[in-house]
Amino acid sequence: MQTSNQPAPTLDEEIALLKQGHSFIAGIDEVGRGCLAGPVMAAAVVLPLDDDELASRLAGVRDSKQMTAQARDRLYDVIMRHALATSVGTGSIELIDERNILQATKHAMYAAIAQLSIPVHALLIDALILPRLSLPQRSIIKGDACCLSIAAASIVAKVTRDRLMLQLHEQYPLYGFDQNKGYGTPAHLAALREHGVTPLHRKSFAPVRELIFGVFTAP
C-alpha cells in the first residue's frame, strides 16, 4: 500500500552532482532479487534536472514497494512521459543459477545503463556499486525512499517486471504468478509442491533446490 507519512524522495543527490558538472545522472534500481521464479530486472532513469517543475510533475513517486499497483501504473506513465531517458536490463534465470543473484542483478544494471539513449555522467544506485564502470557513482542505502531518480527507476523496474510476470502467468497458470509475481508466497510454495518446478524457477534458490533434491517439506 502507498504510505503518505514518509517524506517524499528529493533531488538533493542529483543537484549535488549537477553542481559538480554532471548534467545527465541516472538513477538505478532493481526488482525481483528475492523471487523464486522469473528474472531479476533493473531500470535506469535519467530525469531532466533543468526542469524547475520536475518535483511537482513527479509528485507521488516513491519507493515502488510502498505503492499500490494502480499508483505504480499511473506514475510509470508519468515517468515515461517526462524522463529524458529510461531503460530496463534483465538478469536471466539461467544467469542467476549459473552465477548468483547478486551478479545477475549487477548484470541487469550494467545492461540498463548500456541501453540508455543518452550517455550519462554519473550514477545514483540503490545499495550497490558497479565496479566495471568508471563513472562517478554513489551507492545509497534505501535510495528508492530518498532519491527521486532511484525511486523513479524502482517504479519503472517494478511495473516492467510485473507485466512480464502477468505474461508468464498465461504460460504457467497453476503457480499464481499474476498474484505473487514469482515471490515465495504460501500459495506459490504449495503450487511448487503439487505441480513441481518449471523452467521459470530459480533452481539455485533454497525452496526450489530442496524440492528438486527431494528434501522440500511443508511449513
Side-chain angles (χ1 to χ4, degrees), residues 142-182:
K142 296 185 178 178
D144 48 9
C146 62
C147 175
L148 189 59
S149 292
I150 298 177
S154 79
I155 291 172
V156 172
K158 175 68 173 166
V159 170
T160 302
R161 189 180 186 280
D162 282 0
R163 290 176 180 176
L164 172 65
M165 295 308 293
L166 289 175
Q167 295 174 19
L168 296 178
H169 172 72
E170 299 298 320
Q171 298 179 35
Y172 296 94
L174 299 175
Y175 296 83
F177 294 145
D178 58 332
Q179 297 296 318
N180 60 53
K181 306 303 188 293

Side-chain angles (χ1 to χ4, degrees), residues 60 97 105 158:
D97 287 340
T105 299
K158 175 68 173 166

Side-chain angles (χ1 to χ4, degrees), residues 97 192 196-197 202-217:
D97 287 340
L192 268 172
V197 176
R202 303 173 180 178
K203 298 175 179 62
S204 57
F205 276 42
V208 182
R209 184 178 67 244
E210 290 166 2
L211 179 58
I212 292 171
F213 289 100
V215 293
F216 189 27
T217 57

